[in-house]
Amino acid sequence: MAIRAALPLVAVIAICGCARPTVTANQPVTVPVAVRTEPYATARACSGAFVEHRLPFATGLRVRDISGYLGNGAGVAAGDLDHDGRLDLVFASIDGPAMVLHNNGDLDFTPHELDAQFTRDVKMVDIDGDGWLDVVFTDRPGAVIAYHNHAGTLERMTLPGVDGLAYSTAWGDLNGDGRLDLVTASYDTELRKRGVATDVLAARAGVFLYTNTSAGFVAQRLSDHADGLSIALLDLNNDGATDIWVGNDFLGRDAVWLNSSTGWQPTEPFKRMSESTMSIDWADIDNSGTQALFTTDMNPAKRDPHTLAAWLPMMTKTDQTRAGDPQISANMLQVWSSGAWVDAAPQRGIDATGWSWAGRFADLDRDGFQDLYVVNGMIAKDLFGHLPDSELVEENTVLRNTGHGTFIAAPEWKLGSTLSGRGMLPVDLDNDGDPDLVVNNMRGPATLFENQLCGGAGLTVSLRWRGSANTQAIGARASLRTSVGLLTRDVRASGGYLSGDAPLMLFGMPEKATLQTLTILWPDGAQSVIDAPPANVNLEVTR
């Protein structure tokens, strides 16, 4: 393994609408990095499937009759809170205290309640740049609740200037100053139903960008209304800047703002979009170097009489299709083709997965191609009162990537849980290099699905950026060139539905693949190249 000087810093042409500009080279920038490796832990077992473990946390059990938007559930976040090398979990709860599950190793967890009550969204992110992951929630009234991590101990903190009503959140350095900024979106329909005053909504609802400064957060209101179930921060037009995409529920279209030199420019880059966008994810699903964008929605996976009978009353109540509306009630897979985003979900076999919440890509079998897992189900007396316990019971869906960016069902992986999942994350909790899956269920225990597929080789990359307030290099991208193709990943603080990813990147690849180079594009545009990185290790790269 050798470390080379950085590749050139990129320069870009001006953006226009949803076009994807070309990137041109400028002067090279040298970025020294230090590399530390730690071999993967030995897999506990290789059964060829996932094994379900019930975790010591549950939400939704304290409410007898779940109706309205209570059934939307809550999220889960992952990160190493105590710097012991193991990823911990934090669960939000819609009917009680939030919970930290400290990872003791060997998939054993110690629960610790927090005083935050009735929470929805949860993220782990280093807000103040001290090197420790803080924890941030939204609660059902719409407040943002934060905990500062004092060397492994969580204590309540305030975020000065953050006052908008929030349901979903996302974090990223949106202005390039090294600090992590916050984007929030409210869920206006629920707030109105809960009786929040019109003047309060007029002043505090919508989409807010909070720029993180030394004096606190400075608010900019991008929209005065939202039903934002998910927020994605990603580069939609390939100009090197991070854009904002809010996935809205109901008939409100998804909202997108491009990050330009003249400010935040609203745009509509998609010819079709999900009607009720529950979650957003993105990945290079065919190893072509181009990201595909995936959104989940409500669309029955089966069309048999039993399924349609369960869905029909709800569909009759909520059918509000309008002529000329680009929204349809289906999952979307936006792929870049002939200068535009085109929905390819039906052709790729992923447009209908049920009443779908979190949908996430991950290379579950470590064959070099990213698979897809979607959690399903709904509990609501006003929608499904005709069903036992007012619950639409559906199996979660796992789809294996065939190697060409198309997907087929993989029931043999035993991931068809019916516990009504909401927030979900792919995350390696036993340090063996393959992604396990964690789900925050409604009216049942949270579940950990231990990955015992024992597929090909792997490489886990975590970044440390000394001297920057963005200590985990949120927004960085990595390209792993191998003998079987180019694999790309990015570092995120947000993920899917109301949840927060661990700040690391998991690569899988066939067993006999040779690793050639790992190229890291840091959030400021500088690059580092590591020659011949080893396989089957946790690789920590420090700038």
Side-chain angles (χ1 to χ4, degrees), residues 245-444:
W245 175 5
V246 175
N248 281 313
D249 202 354
F250 307 116
L251 292 178
R253 299 182 185 182
D254 288 3
V256 177
W257 291 269
L258 296 180
N259 189 349
S260 78
S261 59
T262 57
W264 292 96
Q265 303 298 324
T267 185
E268 294 190 357
F270 309 120
K271 295 179 180 178
R272 291 209 309 177
M273 64 184 73
S274 295
E275 181 175 89
S276 300
T277 301
M278 316 283 247
S279 73
I280 304 170
D281 198 27
W282 60 95
D284 181 0
I285 58 174
D286 56 4
N287 296 344
S288 66
T290 302
Q291 302 290 318
L293 319 173
F294 180 66
T295 58
T296 54
D297 201 339
M298 301 169 290
N299 194 6
K302 300 177 181 178
R303 300 287 170 166
D304 60 277
H306 175 77
T307 300
L308 294 179
W311 275 73
L312 187 58
M314 185 283 305
M315 296 170 75
T316 302
K317 290 179 183 179
T318 60
D319 184 13
Q320 304 177 62
T321 303
R322 298 175 295 182
D325 192 339
Q327 302 174 105
I328 63 171
S329 187
N331 300 341
M332 295 281 152
L333 183 71
Q334 308 285 354
V335 298
W336 189 255
S337 176
S338 301
W341 291 108
V342 177
D343 175 35
Q347 296 88 340
R348 307 292 182 98
I350 57 175
D351 61 319
T353 51
W355 191 296
S356 300
W357 298 92
R360 301 301 309 275
F361 292 111
D363 187 356
L364 299 177
D365 56 355
R366 292 200 305 196
D367 67 348
F369 292 91
Q370 299 209 61
D371 311 297
L372 180 63
Y373 190 53
V374 182
V375 296
N376 301 311
M378 184 55 176
I379 305 172
K381 188 175 182 179
D382 49 340
L383 291 178
F384 295 106
H386 60 289
L387 299 178
D389 297 321
S390 304
E391 180 174 2
L392 176 67
V393 178
E394 297 181 310
E395 289 188 350
N396 295 343
T397 302
V398 62
L399 297 154
R400 181 175 63 82
N401 192 326
T402 63
H404 305 285
T406 58
F407 298 84
I408 59 172
E412 68 276 12
W413 289 355
K414 298 182 180 180
L415 284 167
S417 171
T418 57
L419 285 179
S420 206
R422 299 297 184 268
M424 177 269 291
L425 290 175
V427 55
D428 181 9
L429 290 170
D430 49 9
N431 287 340
D432 64 355
D434 52 23
D436 308 300
L437 294 162
V438 178
V439 186
N440 193 354
N441 298 304
M442 270 295 294
R443 200 192 273 162

Side-chain angles (χ1 to χ4, degrees), residues 37 99 103 106 115 135 148 157 184 199 202 248-249 264 290 321 332 394 398 407 430 469 481-482 512 535:
T37 63
M99 182 82 75
N103 189 344
D106 200 33
D115 59 1
V135 180
H148 185 240
M157 68 182 294
T184 68
D199 60 334
N248 281 313
D249 202 354
W264 292 96
T290 302
T321 303
M332 295 281 152
E394 297 181 310
V398 62
F407 298 84
D430 49 9
R481 187 169 297 280
T482 76
K512 296 182 180 180

Side-chain angles (χ1 to χ4, degrees), residues 124 427 462 541:
M124 291 193 208
V427 55
S462 58
V541 181

Side-chain angles (χ1 to χ4, degrees), residues 40 43 45-50 363-369 371 400 413 432-436 450-459 507-513 535-536:
Y40 282 156
C46 292
S47 65
F50 284 76
D363 187 356
L364 299 177
D365 56 355
R366 292 200 305 196
D367 67 348
F369 292 91
D371 311 297
R400 181 175 63 82
W413 289 355
D432 64 355
D434 52 23
D436 308 300
E450 179 190 357
N451 191 336
Q452 293 186 1
L453 296 180
C454 299
L459 177 66
F507 293 88
M509 66 214 71
E511 192 76 43
K512 296 182 180 180
N536 296 324

